[in-house]
């Protein structure tokens, strides 16, 4: 590092430089909100000028959105289903890793869902894409055919469940009214109850639709 505190500039390809800038921004989310990440500070850490940073991003908002999308990929990777488990254990395992991720990246999670940047159209698109991706992860494992007449209702219920998960975790992070295990139980058990899909409920509970009450 130079005496001025700037990192010595390293020659990188355009793609490598863009990824470097995004990664530096993502690292700062551990200590500040997305909208508080300074392009000047990022440029200084990368050893480039502020003007050069905007060679890779159209605006500060575009840069912030790129950071959010990078975090989204990390998040979806972190909660990817473990196919060696049964359906219920797979769901619980993914929910546990979801909570782990939020506990480790609380500031980023809160900033993207509730910060000033969350109202921007681009950020709303990112959040919706993440919710859709998680819903698709669940649907991909559910024993329900694509042409099943119950599938559209299940898809809608999954999107509602995602909103429930987000709000419940955010509140839990702030207040901790129950234990972590109780939180995970609540999130896991709420899915079959919310969807009211006999096939999904049976699969998650390890029984057959005919064996379920009602």
């Amino acid at each position: 590092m130079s005496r001025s505190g700037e990192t010595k500039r390293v020659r990188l390809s355009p793609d490598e430089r863009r990824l470097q800038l995004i990664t530096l921004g993502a690292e700062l989310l551990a200590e500040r909100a997305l909208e508080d990440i300074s392009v000047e500070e990022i440029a200084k850490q990368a050893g480039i000028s502020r003007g050069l940073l905007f060679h890779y991003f159209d605006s500060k908002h575009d840069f912030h959105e790129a950071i959010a999308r990078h975090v989204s990929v990390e998040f979806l990777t972190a909660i990817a289903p473990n196919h060696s488990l049964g359906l219920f254990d797979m769901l619980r395992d993914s929910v546990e890793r979801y909570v782990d991720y939020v506990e480790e990246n609380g500031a980023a999670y809160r900033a993207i869902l509730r910060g000033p940047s969350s109202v921007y159209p681009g950020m709303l698109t990112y959040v919706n894409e993440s919710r859709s991706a998680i819903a698709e992860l669940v649907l991909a494992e559910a024993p329900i055919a694509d042409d099943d007449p119950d599938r559209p209702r299940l898809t809608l219920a999954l999107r509602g469940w995602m909103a429930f998960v987000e709000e419940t975790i955010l509140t839990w992070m702030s207040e901790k009214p129950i234990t972590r295990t109780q939180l995970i139980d609540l999130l896991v058990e709420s899915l079959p109850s919310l969807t009211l899909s006999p096939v999904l409920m049976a699969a998650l509970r390890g029984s057959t639709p005919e064996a379920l009450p009602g």
Side-chain angles (χ1 to χ4, degrees):
M1 184 174 291
S2 68
R3 293 179 182 178
S4 63
E6 296 183 9
T7 302
K8 183 178 180 180
R9 184 171 176 179
V10 177
R11 185 175 296 279
L12 301 173
S13 71
D15 288 345
E16 289 173 334
R17 179 67 71 187
R18 178 181 170 84
L19 178 59
Q20 178 202 35
L21 296 170
I22 292 171
T23 302
L24 287 171
E27 290 173 353
L28 285 180
L29 282 175
E31 58 189 54
R32 68 190 68 176
L34 182 65
E35 61 272 11
D36 294 332
I37 293 178
S38 163
V39 294
E40 289 81 4
E41 181 177 358
I42 295 297
K44 183 177 181 180
Q45 288 188 20
I48 64 173
S49 68
R50 182 180 186 276
L52 184 57
L53 183 144
F54 287 114
H55 173 74
Y56 301 99
F57 306 96
D58 293 337
S59 63
K60 181 178 180 180
H61 173 63
D62 182 46
F63 177 52
H64 287 170
E65 189 174 333
I67 294 171
R69 290 189 179 279
H70 177 80
V71 170
S72 174
V73 172
E74 286 189 334
F75 170 64
L76 292 174
T77 300
I79 66 169
N82 180 352
H83 293 99
S84 68
L85 302 174
L87 189 58
F88 179 83
D89 290 336
M90 188 188 304
L91 173 62
R92 186 177 184 87
D93 176 64
S94 287
V95 170
E96 288 178 344
R97 284 185 280 119
Y98 189 137
V99 174
D100 287 342
Y101 183 89
V102 175
E103 287 189 292
E104 294 171 4
N105 302 275
Y109 188 80
R110 189 174 292 106
I112 291 170
L113 290 180
R114 294 291 183 270
S117 296
S118 65
V119 302
Y120 295 158
M123 199 63 68
L124 288 173
T125 298
Y126 146 74
V127 172
N128 283 328
E129 287 176 351
S130 294
R131 289 170 179 160
S132 294
I134 294 173
E136 287 301 318
L137 286 175
V138 178
L139 284 169
E141 306 302 331
I144 299 176
D146 290 345
D147 58 354
D148 190 305
D150 194 44
R151 194 175 181 89
R153 188 181 66 82
L154 176 57
T155 302
L156 181 61
L158 280 169
R159 292 298 298 270
W161 180 70
M162 281 307 308
F164 169 77
V165 170
E166 290 169 1
E167 185 61 36
T168 301
I169 290 180
L170 282 172
T171 302
W172 182 80
M173 289 287 291
S174 299
E175 303 173 10
K176 299 291 178 66
I178 58 179
T179 67
R180 181 180 181 277
T181 298
Q182 288 172 325
L183 169 69
I184 292 168
D185 288 342
L186 173 62
L187 298 177
V188 172
E189 294 167 6
S190 66
L191 178 57
S193 300
L194 178 63
T195 62
L196 293 178
S197 168
V199 176
L200 181 59
M201 291 173 73
L204 286 170
R205 295 174 181 177
S207 58
T208 62
E210 294 76 12
L212 292 174

